[in-house]
Amino acid sequence: MLLIDCPFCGPRNETEFTYGGPALAPRPADPGAVSDADWVDWVTVPPNPMGPVEERWWHSRGCGAWLTIRRHTVTHEITEVRLGR
C-alpha cells in the first residue's frame, strides 16, 4: 500500500486516491507530422519502465487536488509529490 503525502492533507493511504495514469509528455507541436501508428501508441500504450516514473493521482476521497508523484516502479518509493502537472 502506498502512503501519498498530500500537500494539503498530509500523508494519506492510497485508498483515498484515484490513479490518473502516467504523466505523459505534451502532444506534438505539429500533429500533422505524426503518423497514425505513432498517435495510437501515444494514446493507448502507457510507459511501463523499471525505475522512476511520474504518475497523476487525484485525491478523490480528500481535498480533490490532482497530484503528480514520482515513484520507483520496483520499490514503490515515492520521491516527489507536487500539485498539478
Side-chain angles (χ1 to χ4, degrees), residues 1-2 50-52 71-79:
M1 192 84 47
L2 295 176
M50 290 180 66
R71 179 181 65 85
H72 195 285
T73 59
V74 176
T75 64
H76 297 292
E77 177 188 12
I78 296 173
T79 57

Side-chain angles (χ1 to χ4, degrees), residues 14-67:
E14 75 176 280
T15 59
E16 289 189 17
F17 294 84
T18 301
Y19 178 68
L24 299 174
R27 289 179 175 234
D30 183 11
V34 178
S35 71
D36 289 344
D38 288 340
W39 269 117
V40 169
D41 284 347
W42 189 87
V43 172
T44 63
V45 180
N48 191 20
M50 290 180 66
V53 295
E54 286 196 347
E55 301 171 326
R56 305 275 292 139
W57 289 79
W58 176 40
H59 199 174
S60 56
R61 293 184 181 99
C63 64
W66 273 98
L67 308 175

